[in-house]
Amino acid sequence: MRFRSQLLRSRASLLDRVADRVELLGTYSQAEAPALYRRADVLLHTKYNDPCPTVVLEAMACGVPVVYSRSGGTPELVGEEAGVGVEAPLDWDRDHPPAPPELADAVRTVAERLPDYAAAARERSLGFDVRPWVDRHREVFERLVRG
């Protein structure tokens, strides 16, 4: 019980130090997501080896550049122009979260050229539009049904 109360006090202290810069929103609907993304300057995606994070594509579609762990499928989604990746080793046995100082450097890099990164994020996201994929599959299935 004593450890839990110390942990809660420590967490509260940390939140007090960033309260003027961080807003904890709680749950939100998918319909509310675009407006929330657009309030952000950058998406900080620290998940290691995330195979294909939808959150990254959603943020980029809203013109939000991404600072991320250079692992999994995220580098392919973001590319070099829509954000900055923090190096990560290739390891399937354990997670390697990015180091906070490296994340901070990456955020500063994006902040220095925020309009460029934001425009590139939006532009790059258009290449991941699902409609051409769906249209192509519809065409194939319709041909198969016709024989």
Side-chain angles (χ1 to χ4, degrees), residues 12 15 22 46 56 64 69 71 73 82 93 110 114 119 121 124 126 142-143:
L15 291 176
V22 175
T46 62
V56 167
V64 178
S69 167
S71 63
D93 294 324
V110 169
L114 187 58
R124 187 159 175 86
L126 299 175
E142 286 173 353
R143 260 192 283 143

Side-chain angles (χ1 to χ4, degrees), residues 1-9:
M1 186 70 162
R2 179 181 150 99
F3 175 73
R4 180 171 165 71
S5 65
Q6 285 176 330
L7 181 63
L8 290 174
R9 277 195 308 275

